Amino acid sequence: MELKRIDDEGLGHLVEAFYARVRADEELGPIFNDAISDWPEHLGKLTDFWSSVMLTTGRYKGQPVPAHMKHRSKITPELFERWLGLWAETTDALMEPAAARALQDKARRIAQSLQLAMFFRIDA
Ligand code: HEM
């Protein structure tokens, strides 16, 4: 299959394939399957998120930190590594190499800042 670029079509395809893997993963799957009832809506939101991040389209208007905070009791740094591992596998399989690398770098940076917000918050 032809490798994809970072455009609407490529990002939509990537998001769909990634969350199919996440849902099938024995550790990550239950967290997502419990939290998300409307999968088409979630996939649309995540495609907008990646479009905003990689193409600066401004389509995503949400707040990732509180969305993850809600699930903090179930999410660990190890799970973030697992998420990033699946992201690396999926982007390597589907995207052109430079696109895959850029998506992996960006995800790693976002995962770090999410973890700082989630696990290292100092309550004054
Ligand atoms: C939303 C889990 C890592 C981006 C969500 C939701 C869950 C979740 C359960 C739905 C929240 C809800 O509405 O109840 C996880 C887990 C992760 C992880 C278990 C790793 C262990 C990441 C990373 C990114 C990301 C690394 C970005 C690179 C998002 C975005 C949303 C979301 C943009 C939508 C937030 C909104 O509602 O606006 N995630 N996530 N997640 N996640 Fe993650």
Side-chain angles (χ1 to χ4, degrees):
M1 201 182 51
E2 205 180 310
L3 296 173
K4 305 282 186 190
R5 298 162 194 276
I6 298 177
D7 55 20
D8 276 352
E9 198 242 325
L11 290 175
H13 190 74
L14 170 64
V15 164
E16 200 159 312
F18 175 67
Y19 285 97
R21 288 191 191 203
V22 164
R23 295 186 75 177
D25 183 84
E26 61 180 35
E27 289 183 32
L28 290 166
I31 299 177
F32 283 90
N33 288 319
D34 286 351
I36 292 159
S37 50
D38 186 341
W39 274 94
E41 192 226 357
H42 185 70
L43 298 182
K45 195 192 287 184
L46 268 291
T47 305
D48 285 347
F49 172 77
W50 283 107
S51 161
S52 288
V53 167
M54 302 306 289
L55 302 168
T56 58
T57 56
R59 272 174 19 196
Y60 173 75
K61 304 268 185 255
Q63 292 192 303
V65 171
H68 293 89
M69 250 339 167
K70 283 194 283 178
H71 306 282
R72 187 161 73 142
S73 63
K74 293 185 249 173
I75 302 180
T76 59
E78 291 70 29
L79 273 184
F80 267 97
E81 286 308 312
R82 199 171 173 98
W83 189 107
L84 289 166
L86 280 184
W87 183 250
E89 277 174 35
T90 315
T91 48
D92 280 342
L94 298 182
M95 307 302 285
E96 289 175 350
R101 258 195 317 279
L103 286 156
Q104 289 162 19
D105 286 352
K106 194 57 111 174
R108 188 161 286 283
R109 280 202 291 275
I110 296 168
Q112 263 163 9
S113 65
L114 276 177
Q115 288 182 87
L116 276 176
M118 288 175 74
F119 305 130
F120 301 103
R121 200 170 71 154
I122 297 167
D123 292 310

